[in-house]
Amino acid sequence: MKVSEIRATFFDYFKKKGHEIQPSASMVVKNDPTLMFTNAGMNQFKDYFLGNTNPKIKRIANSQKCLRVSGKHNDLEEVGVDTYHHTMFEMLGNWSFGDYFKKEAIDWAWELLTKVYKLDKSRLYVTVFAGDKLDGTKEDSEAIYFWSKHVKKDEIIKCSKKDNFWEMGDVGPCGPCSEIHMDIRTDAERSKVKGRDLVNKDHPQVIEIWNLVFMEYLRMSDRSLIPLPEKHVDTGMGLERLAVALQGKKSNYDIDLFQTLIKRIEELSRIKYGASKKTDIALRIVSDHVRAISFSIADGQLPSNTGAGYVIRRILRRAVRYGYQVLEIKEPFMYNIATTLVEQMGEAYPELTNQKTLIEKVIKEEEKSFFRTLEQGIKKINLIINSYKEKKQKKMSSLHVFELNDTYGFPIDLTSLIAKENNIDVDIDGFQKLLEEQKQRSRKASEIETSDWMVIYDQKETQFVGYDNTRAETKILRYRKVNTPKKNYFQLVLEKTPFYPEGGGQIGDTGFLEIENEKIKIFNTKKENELILHYASSLPNNLSKKAIAIVDKKKRKKIAANHSATHLLHYALRKVLGDHVEQKGSLVNDKYLRFDFSHFSKMKEEELQ
Ligand code: SER
């Protein structure tokens, strides 16, 4: 089965079980400040789990583009070095929102794997949650009961919280899980060591393929657990890993999807996959990273110097560095591989085909600029090395190594290599220490602590009246405190609000909340999924009283005018330059607007006019 057939079979199976098949959500997360990228299929459904919104459909199945390169789920360092982790991967999932629970999730997973995909039962292992003293959670006896209908009871493996309790982040919806692992070793190897002894032991050929999460708790900021109002199912199966099992391969990189990409890199580098351990790692890294980068660009996240854009830039540079150093490709090459990727995955993900030109151009530009950085770094390192030679010193100080890395973006392994060629050692330990100190500094600077919600009125949804009003009678439904190194403030949720949250580049409204005789300043408004959060520096004395929410009208008018101007500008650009002009990003505030778009050549003076 090709990857595309495996995906289609999954959809087909769950469609028959009453699920609606939905397209993947964007991999780039726009309205959840706690996440930069989708790292699990459940992200887009967070509001359903929290009970903030009622799901219209109770059963959904999809294949979600996920990226695990930051935050709680970060696999970047493993990628390419092993054969079964990825930065970007596809996660097949079936969902129940307050509908079916453990029995169906387990029965269906087993039926699909063994009857439809026809995987060999003797190679599958299942795990269940063993309970946790600290959390006060018990062994998942229900899961054991339902699994024992399919596998021998004493074959079921009990695992601790580390492996079998799934949490999206430090706080939020979570629950015990039950995983299915697959042993793809040869029969000879299997007769020597039992597969069940290798489950969850980082063995490259005894790997987790499917995780069934039974979402039933909410993790609070004091680490306690409270039950969710309803119970849900969230399952996630790695499509690439399933393909390994179904295609009888030994590594994710052997499946059709990756082999096409690796062939293209082989052509460009003239190095064959299998030639050496070192070059294999590089080939895997490049083929993995080109997917992550291309999909991010297609979803609207271009490489940049901050936030999510910086994560993408770093992934791209990691790939280019391996290409440059290990595969010895000394000119831009990644954009060529992106072309192959689009041809291959464009059918399943039309956004790739639609944005093909943009993806290639952006990657090529990034590569060019990184090559310039490398050139500058090489000049600098030569200067440093000469000065050491003059002074007859044999060891490069950690400060120099750090400067090359931090200021010139010059990779540490390249510094070591060049220094070694000149018989100079580098102080790696000292460098690591400096790097760690820098990391600590930036961690401190970005630490945010959010308290749990204090509920005043137990009502979930806010009524938004901001299209027609800049004033509304309301009350505070709940609030929470946020501490950051720079300042502390409160986020308020209102029953009714005329405040526009930040979104689509437009800044959030500011204004006041009047309660009795007090006037509380609202200095920003943002959205967290479906919640509208009003930012206030202080709280009113009388939290439960009637309030009036008043938007700064003058400022709103200016923002609205700039927003309208954005649409006019967009229209004009399409008229003058052509229909390919699409909004790639924008900023609208009360002072000016910015509109990002891509065009294939520099704009002419008369076009600008
Ligand atoms: N949320 C779970 C995971 O990411 C199952 O989808 O593994």
Side-chain angles (χ1 to χ4, degrees), residues 39-42 68 91 95 166 208 211 213 215 234-236:
N39 64 10
M42 54 82 64
R68 291 194 169 171
M91 187 152 20
W95 312 85
W166 202 84
E208 174 197 339
N211 187 11
V213 183
M215 215 58 99
D234 150 19
T235 86

Side-chain angles (χ1 to χ4, degrees), residues 12-242:
D12 205 44
Y13 179 83
F14 281 103
K15 204 168 167 184
K16 287 194 187 121
K17 303 284 181 205
H19 291 63
E20 181 171 305
I21 311 305
Q22 289 198 352
S24 171
S26 170
M27 200 164 76
V28 179
V29 177
K30 290 273 158 56
N31 57 8
D32 185 344
T34 64
L35 273 180
M36 286 201 263
F37 300 101
T38 297
N39 64 10
M42 54 82 64
N43 296 160
Q44 62 165 323
F45 303 121
K46 202 168 123 187
D47 272 343
Y48 294 167
F49 296 133
L50 289 169
N52 287 341
T53 331
N54 288 329
K56 289 184 197 77
I57 305 156
K58 290 197 176 261
R59 295 180 185 191
I60 287 175
N62 66 0
S63 179
Q64 175 64 47
K65 304 172 271 186
C66 298
L67 191 63
R68 291 194 169 171
V69 289
S70 53
K72 192 171 174 77
H73 298 279
N74 185 350
D75 295 330
L76 187 59
E77 293 311 317
E78 270 97 4
V79 173
V81 180
D82 71 25
T83 52
Y84 56 102
H85 278 100
H86 293 293
T87 51
M88 184 214 145
F89 63 99
E90 283 182 74
M91 187 152 20
L92 299 168
N94 56 294
W95 312 85
S96 152
F97 306 114
D99 191 22
Y100 63 84
F101 203 44
K102 294 181 188 176
K103 180 184 186 311
E104 291 83 349
I106 288 173
D107 285 351
W108 291 342
W110 192 253
E111 183 178 55
L112 177 60
L113 290 182
T114 60
K115 299 248 166 67
V116 181
Y117 288 130
K118 298 197 169 56
L119 286 176
D120 176 357
K121 282 182 197 169
S122 74
R123 288 176 176 272
L124 296 177
Y125 294 93
V126 301
T127 68
V128 295
F129 179 49
D132 185 73
K133 272 210 185 98
L134 202 69
D135 278 343
T137 43
K138 298 222 167 61
E139 174 180 289
D140 193 347
S141 54
E142 279 176 332
I144 296 177
Y145 173 74
F146 295 125
W147 274 124
S148 65
K149 310 255 175 244
H150 307 293
V151 295
K152 282 200 206 107
K153 207 165 173 181
D154 51 8
E155 285 288 312
I156 300 170
I157 306 168
K158 294 174 189 170
C159 294
S160 70
K161 184 161 108 178
K162 179 178 149 277
D163 288 311
N164 276 41
F165 193 86
W166 202 84
E167 310 199 36
M168 184 193 65
D170 291 333
V171 292
C174 55
C177 57
S178 197
E179 295 172 346
I180 303 167
H181 294 247
M182 171 96 194
D183 183 354
I184 52 171
R185 294 173 306 151
T186 59
D187 288 334
E189 285 169 301
R190 285 170 68 208
S191 66
K192 275 187 235 143
V193 185
K194 269 201 186 154
R196 61 169 289 138
D197 295 336
L198 298 173
V199 165
N200 278 333
K201 300 268 160 59
D202 290 330
H203 190 289
Q205 281 161 12
V206 183
I207 48 176
E208 174 197 339
I209 51 175
W210 203 346
N211 187 11
L212 317 178
V213 183
F214 310 120
M215 215 58 99
E216 48 184 322
Y217 300 107
L218 187 63
R219 173 78 69 190
M220 309 300 281
S221 59
D222 66 0
R223 309 296 305 142
S224 64
L225 293 174
I226 58 168
L228 285 173
E230 279 189 287
K231 293 178 178 171
H232 317 278
V233 170
D234 150 19
T235 86
M237 172 150 62
L239 174 60
E240 296 82 357
R241 290 185 184 180
L242 176 64

Side-chain angles (χ1 to χ4, degrees), residues 332-446:
F333 64 99
M334 292 279 287
Y335 73 101
N336 274 314
I337 307 160
T339 313
T340 310
L341 173 79
V342 175
E343 279 160 15
Q344 198 192 16
M345 294 192 77
E347 203 174 311
Y349 294 96
E351 62 272 34
L352 284 180
T353 316
N354 297 341
Q355 305 284 352
K356 180 171 180 277
T357 323
L358 180 75
I359 294 169
E360 291 162 350
K361 293 235 171 201
V362 169
I363 295 183
K364 194 171 178 186
E365 277 311 309
E366 272 293 303
E367 287 190 89
K368 277 203 213 152
S369 107
F370 187 47
F371 274 103
R372 279 196 296 273
T373 306
L374 285 177
E375 254 169 48
Q376 279 170 358
I378 287 175
K379 275 191 201 140
K380 179 75 189 171
I381 192 172
N382 285 338
L383 281 179
I384 295 176
I385 286 180
N386 284 338
S387 76
Y388 277 84
K389 279 186 175 163
E390 272 165 27
K391 287 185 226 141
K392 297 210 167 27
Q393 284 172 345
K394 286 267 170 222
K395 188 158 188 169
M396 192 186 289
S397 82
S398 55
L399 283 173
H400 272 139
V401 186
F402 187 76
E403 184 195 3
L404 277 163
N405 186 264
D406 196 47
T407 316
Y408 293 88
F410 206 68
I412 164 75
D413 26 8
L414 210 51
T415 302
S416 304
L417 198 77
I418 298 176
K420 211 175 263 157
E421 284 167 4
N422 288 280
N423 288 321
I424 292 175
D425 267 346
V426 291
D427 181 1
I428 300 272
D429 291 343
F431 166 76
Q432 296 294 5
K433 220 175 128 210
L434 290 175
L435 203 63
E436 194 45 44
E437 281 167 18
Q438 187 195 39
K439 269 196 202 146
Q440 294 283 5
R441 279 197 300 276
S442 65
R443 210 173 291 147
K444 273 241 148 59
S446 62

Side-chain angles (χ1 to χ4, degrees), residues 455-467:
V455 177
I456 299 169
Y457 293 99
D458 193 13
Q459 178 189 320
K460 290 281 184 266
E461 282 169 37
T462 297
Q463 190 193 351
F464 176 69
V465 295
Y467 292 124

Side-chain angles (χ1 to χ4, degrees), residues 72 91 197 211 233 267 288 294 326 357 385 392 420 481 520 535 546-547 558 595:
K72 192 171 174 77
M91 187 152 20
D197 295 336
N211 187 11
V233 170
E267 279 166 20
D288 171 275
S294 305
V326 182
T357 323
I385 286 180
K392 297 210 167 27
K420 211 175 263 157
K481 188 166 184 194
I520 303 289
Y535 285 53
K546 262 196 192 152
K558 290 182 183 165
F595 185 90

